[in-house]
Amino acid sequence: MLSLPPTVKIYVAAGAVDLRKGFDGLSAVTRQVIREDPLSGHLFCFINRRRDRAKILVWDRSGFWLLYKRLEKGRLHLPKEPAPGARHIELEASELSLLLEGIDLRGARRRPRWQPLTS
């Protein structure tokens, strides 16, 4: 499982992205499609049309990291459908880990979490 600080957000582009793009191409997709700054330190995930490959772009203060995952069997399934007109969805680290394993979470339910009382 990924271990990320709670301040890091994970964005997944809602539509298919041409994964032949490298660092600069995916940075441009981040700005145009997801409408976030690729230098923010957040994770930006892109999935191809066949949904068997994913690339994750992240900036770490000295340069970009590009992680690439290819499933040998099966497909990548987004855990939730994007809202109509949405260009991306936001995931938690646990959801991203399961997505990259090829596990379909669409029928799963999240149990209520504890939240501190607000005054």
Side-chain angles (χ1 to χ4, degrees):
M1 180 176 299
L2 294 173
S3 177
L4 299 170
T7 56
V8 173
K9 295 181 180 181
I10 301 168
Y11 297 100
V12 180
V17 175
D18 181 3
L19 293 188
R20 293 177 291 181
K21 296 179 186 301
F23 298 104
D24 297 328
L26 292 175
S27 293
V29 172
T30 300
R31 285 188 178 96
Q32 294 168 358
V33 174
I34 299 177
R35 295 186 179 154
E36 290 287 334
D37 180 15
L39 303 176
S40 63
H42 300 307
L43 273 68
F44 302 98
C45 183
F46 309 95
I47 299 174
N48 69 341
R49 187 175 312 274
R50 290 188 305 180
R51 295 195 143 341
D52 64 345
R53 298 167 195 230
K55 279 189 177 180
I56 298 174
L57 180 72
V58 64
W59 174 261
D60 76 350
R61 292 187 295 168
S62 63
F64 280 111
W65 281 85
L66 191 58
L67 298 108
Y68 190 34
K69 172 79 176 205
R70 179 182 73 185
L71 291 179
E72 293 299 325
K73 198 173 192 180
R75 300 276 182 249
L76 299 165
H77 299 279
L78 293 176
K80 50 191 164 193
E81 290 297 318
R87 303 175 128 211
H88 69 275
I89 62 171
E90 194 172 332
L91 300 181
E92 294 182 13
S94 58
E95 292 172 321
L96 179 64
S97 293
L98 294 171
L99 168 79
L100 295 175
E101 289 297 321
I103 297 172
D104 188 355
L105 292 174
R106 287 178 289 182
R109 291 182 308 143
R110 182 176 295 278
R111 296 187 183 268
R113 294 185 177 182
W114 178 85
Q115 294 183 356
L117 296 175
T118 57
S119 302

